[in-house]
Amino acid sequence: MATWKRTSGFWISIVLALIFFVVVQVLISGQILNSFYINTLFFMVINIILAVSLHLIIGVTGQFSIGHAGFFAVGAYASAIMTMKLQMPFALALLVGGIAAAVAGLLIGIPSLRLKGDYLAIATLGFGEIVRITLLNVDYVGGASGMMVTNLTTWPWVFACLLITIIVIANFTNSTHGRACISIREDEIAADSMGINTTYYKVAAFVIGSFFAGIAGCLYAHHFYIIQPTNFGFLKSFDILIFVVLGGLGSMSGAVIAAILLTVVSTFLQDYPETRMIIYSIVLILVMLYRPKGLLGTKELTSFFKLRRATEGGIGNDNKHTVA
Amino acid sequence: MELIQQLVNGISLGSIYALIALGYTMVYGIVRLINFAHGDVFMIGSFVGFYAVTALHVGFFPALLLAMAACAVLGVCIERIAYKPLRNATRIAVLITAIGVSLLIEYGTIYLRGAQPEAYPSTLLPDKKLEIFGVIINSQSLLILGTSIVLMILLQLIVYKTKIGKAMRAVSHDAEAARLMGINVDNTISATFAVGSALAGAAGVIFGIYYIKIEPLMGIIPGLKAFVAAVLGGIGIIPGAMVGGLVLGVIESLVSGLGYSLWRDGAAFIILILILIFRPAGLFGKNVREKV
């Protein structure tokens, strides 16, 4: 009974998510949703995966990385090579895309995570640019003109990836490891002196985050027919950063909500790219000036529903207690 | 001879980077902020110079001064509106604001005048080829180099010989102590932004003459490279920024001279990552241990 009480929230959300999946699947197979809505939906899910994976790095671990588009690009190109050049199945390409991005995350993470704050930001930005310039100059992947990719991304794949990303990252955040990461975010030197292996946890968060960015890259590549290095410049990194910052640094549901909201906004402003960027930048500045914690701060959406129970004297307010 | 030719080109290019890097380094030294918008101030300077030449029909030096003045005002406005309210905020909040300001200037410019590039009038400076020991030197390059050197000497005089320069050095050393000694910290920070932005504006005009083509997003790459130059020399150290800029310019020219011109932009970032890993304080910096 006690176990059910603790995990009921999890199972209820899984059931709700599956209902949502079936409803959308029926709408797609019944051809009630036209391709515009399907496109927006897929783009939304890809953005959510990107936002949640960056949230793990910036929001949970406090490592300010602005080269996320680099990992996204690595995943996209690695999976496109698997399906288009080596004729491998999509599932394998998905896995390879994620692993390639994770390896890239490991390679860049180990040396550069000795850096802090601004320096790390610039190093990751530099990494993203190196990836873009490399892709631009390698003829095997088509150079500047890019690669043609067949359309293999389907709703079940997109949904499964989204669900797995959210479950893995939410569980990671609530585990002993996640607590360690949060302590690094709050004060790295203090965490270090309490015996937490800060480098290990920072690299772990980086690798997991880049793995899911790679998965998102694979879904993106196999949905948009063509991938080009220009799609993965640092404006893309800033886009992902804005999701995390607007949603609240440290709130996963905030990142998800911001990703949904901004995808809808940018779909409507597709014909006015300058206006979109001006709105983005003004929002960014105003949020930082007046509400630097973002929409939700470090709160999760679920904590609003549990508020009453907690004040009545239940255990904790969000089941986030670990023994460590 | 080819090598010396590349060196000459590299020094001209490097002097542009050095001028932008000086602004980065001064601002970082005084408020510990990577001013992402600095590259866009450089772009605005370039456009002010362009419009001054084409619409007002002035010569090189009036255009240069006009661009410097406009950029100084812009720099102070950015600091007062966006950065000053965040003086005590977290580093990440300030960095995100800087990114926001940068995007706002870029896309605001595109919104106002469109994204189409412009060509700098080539008659602005005398264009003669001088041949010295088989090396062909463009008279424009010499004038560009000369202007940069004069501006750098001027900066050294401001920082080391004037009262406001003394205040700048005091604030960058310890802002709280400087405040207690009766220095107006806010005005000093504004002055730093004004001087740094004016240098970026001058670099913008020089860049326009050197490369001819200017466009609203042109500030991004030179801005990032100037930042690399500042880190290379040791961020916060003025001579470091000059040397870093020149070194970076020369390395880039050598990379293109060796036939890898497409990798030129990559070289700067590889240097950045190597420097950050092996010598994060830069060539001229000292390592300072952080205390709890």
Side-chain angles (χ1 to χ4, degrees):
Chain A
M1 195 58 199
T3 327
W4 166 247
K5 230 180 197 172
R6 202 147 41 78
T7 56
S8 62
F10 174 75
W11 291 113
I12 290 171
S13 6
I14 292 282
V15 169
L16 285 177
L18 287 178
I19 293 172
F20 175 69
F21 165 72
V22 172
V23 168
V24 173
Q25 182 63 49
V26 168
L27 287 177
I28 291 175
S29 8
Q31 288 173 341
I32 299 167
L33 286 180
N34 64 23
S35 61
F36 173 76
Y37 286 108
I38 295 176
N39 227 3
T40 311
L41 184 70
F42 279 22
F43 203 40
M44 203 181 269
V45 172
I46 291 168
N47 278 342
I48 293 175
I49 297 177
L50 285 171
V52 170
S53 63
L54 188 63
H55 150 81
L56 178 66
I57 299 173
I58 297 187
V60 177
T61 322
Q63 301 306 307
F64 197 63
S65 158
I66 46 179
H68 217 54
F71 304 118
F72 185 48
V74 169
Y77 272 89
S79 64
I81 289 171
M82 287 302 283
T83 53
M84 301 311 294
K85 305 261 178 192
L86 306 174
Q87 323 296 339
M88 295 290 170
F90 182 62
L92 191 65
L94 198 60
L95 198 64
V96 169
I99 290 172
V103 170
L106 190 70
L107 285 180
I108 189 72
I110 291 173
S112 64
L113 286 175
R114 285 166 55 203
L115 309 165
K116 285 190 196 112
D118 322 341
Y119 282 103
L120 178 67
I122 291 296
T124 48
L125 183 73
F127 161 74
E129 283 298 287
I130 289 173
V131 169
R132 190 179 63 84
I133 292 164
T134 310
L135 292 175
L136 209 57
N137 288 302
V138 175
D139 289 330
Y140 183 66
V141 294
S145 52
M147 260 176 104
M148 299 291 285
V149 187
T150 46
N151 190 342
L152 292 172
T153 307
T154 54
W155 172 242
W157 278 117
V158 170
F159 184 79
C161 291
L162 174 68
L163 204 61
I164 292 170
T165 311
I166 288 185
I167 291 174
V168 168
I169 290 182
N171 278 336
F172 181 86
T173 313
N174 291 337
S175 71
T176 319
H177 304 273
R179 295 270 116 184
C181 288
I182 292 173
S183 76
I184 294 172
R185 173 186 80 195
E186 295 301 330
D187 192 328
E188 189 168 338
I189 297 169
D192 201 14
S193 60
M194 297 306 286
I196 288 170
N197 185 347
T198 50
T199 316
Y200 169 77
Y201 284 111
K202 286 196 290 185
V203 172
F206 225 72
V207 168
I208 297 173
S210 35
F211 176 82
F212 286 111
I215 297 278
C218 176
L219 295 174
Y220 177 86
H222 290 86
H223 182 59
F224 283 83
Y225 301 105
I226 189 156
I227 44 173
Q228 286 173 314
T230 42
N231 298 345
F232 306 101
F234 55 90
L235 278 180
K236 185 68 198 169
S237 296
F238 286 167
D239 263 6
I240 309 169
L241 177 68
I242 293 170
F243 299 145
V244 177
V245 171
L246 185 66
L249 290 163
S251 164
M252 189 168 85
S253 29
V256 173
I257 293 170
I260 295 174
L261 208 68
L262 289 178
T263 312
V264 173
V265 170
S266 56
T267 311
F268 281 113
L269 290 176
Q270 216 155 36
D271 299 331
Y272 311 96
E274 299 91 48
T275 320
R276 173 176 158 250
M277 289 315 289
I278 290 174
I279 292 175
Y280 265 33
S281 55
I282 290 177
V283 165
L284 212 55
I285 297 169
L286 289 181
V287 167
M288 281 301 119
L289 286 181
Y290 296 108
R291 196 170 163 77
K293 282 181 165 174
L295 287 179
L296 292 183
T298 52
K299 284 200 189 78
E300 293 294 344
L301 200 59
T302 46
S303 60
F304 290 109
F305 299 115
K306 290 183 178 156
L307 212 58
R308 203 158 8 112
R309 219 191 312 161
T311 47
E312 278 167 5
I315 50 150
N317 57 354
D318 54 3
N319 297 333
K320 274 188 182 170
H321 291 269
T322 47
V323 191
Chain B
M1 279 307 115
E2 178 63 26
L3 186 71
I4 298 173
Q5 185 78 60
Q6 292 297 344
L7 275 178
V8 171
N9 290 343
I11 290 172
S12 305
L13 180 65
S15 62
I16 299 178
Y17 289 152
L19 279 181
I20 315 174
L22 284 169
Y24 267 116
T25 253
M26 290 173 72
V27 166
Y28 191 90
I30 208 157
V31 281
R32 300 277 174 271
L33 154 72
I34 295 174
N35 184 9
F36 262 103
H38 197 65
D40 303 301
V41 173
F42 158 80
M43 177 271 291
I44 295 285
S46 200
F47 271 99
V48 170
F50 172 77
Y51 287 122
V53 172
T54 51
L56 304 176
H57 305 290
V58 295
F60 171 67
F61 284 106
L64 190 74
L65 289 178
L66 208 61
M68 286 174 76
C71 286
V73 172
L74 179 68
V76 172
C77 289
I78 292 173
E79 196 270 327
R80 284 283 148 122
I81 294 167
Y83 300 150
K84 196 178 167 210
L86 291 169
R87 219 31 80 67
N88 296 317
T90 56
R91 299 277 281 272
I92 286 184
V94 183
L95 201 59
I96 293 170
T97 313
I99 292 173
V101 172
S102 161
L103 291 178
L104 184 63
I105 298 178
E106 284 160 16
Y107 288 91
T109 311
I110 292 182
Y111 189 80
L112 289 178
R113 66 164 292 284
Q116 76 277 11
E118 300 278 3
Y120 249 71
S122 54
T123 51
L124 205 52
L125 283 181
D127 191 7
K128 278 186 202 133
K129 300 264 188 282
L130 306 172
E131 200 179 320
I132 306 169
F133 306 120
V135 181
I136 297 163
I137 298 176
N138 202 325
S139 61
Q140 283 193 350
S141 310
L142 281 182
L143 273 169
I144 287 170
L145 191 63
T147 314
S148 310
I149 291 172
V150 168
L151 286 172
M152 287 180 206
I153 292 172
L154 213 62
L155 177 71
Q156 287 288 334
L157 290 179
I158 291 175
V159 172
Y160 287 98
K161 299 288 179 204
T162 63
K163 209 171 167 184
I164 191 78
K166 204 176 204 173
M168 281 175 194
R169 283 181 288 144
V171 173
S172 88
H173 196 74
D174 187 338
E176 270 316 299
R179 198 189 304 272
L180 293 175
M181 291 295 125
I183 292 173
N184 188 334
V185 174
D186 284 336
N187 283 352
T188 312
I189 292 175
S190 293
T192 312
F193 268 86
V195 173
S197 304
L199 289 176
V205 177
I206 292 174
F207 184 93
I209 292 170
Y210 196 73
Y211 278 101
I212 298 163
K213 194 182 121 183
I214 59 170
E215 44 137 359
L217 295 180
M218 67 184 247
I220 300 174
I221 294 292
L224 288 176
K225 283 188 189 157
F227 177 77
V228 175
V231 172
L232 185 64
I235 196 157
I237 304 162
I238 289 176
M242 296 181 194
V243 174
L246 291 175
V247 169
L248 192 67
V250 169
I251 290 177
E252 264 193 25
S253 296
L254 290 181
V255 169
S256 8
L258 289 171
Y260 298 102
S261 53
L262 286 169
W263 292 91
R264 214 181 57 179
D265 291 353
F269 294 111
I270 291 168
I271 292 171
L272 170 75
I273 289 181
L274 289 179
I275 276 283
L276 287 175
I277 292 167
F278 293 110
R279 204 171 156 75
L283 297 175
F284 290 74
K286 287 192 202 77
N287 257 321
V288 183
R289 239 187 127 73
E290 201 177 332
K291 290 185 200 129
V292 181

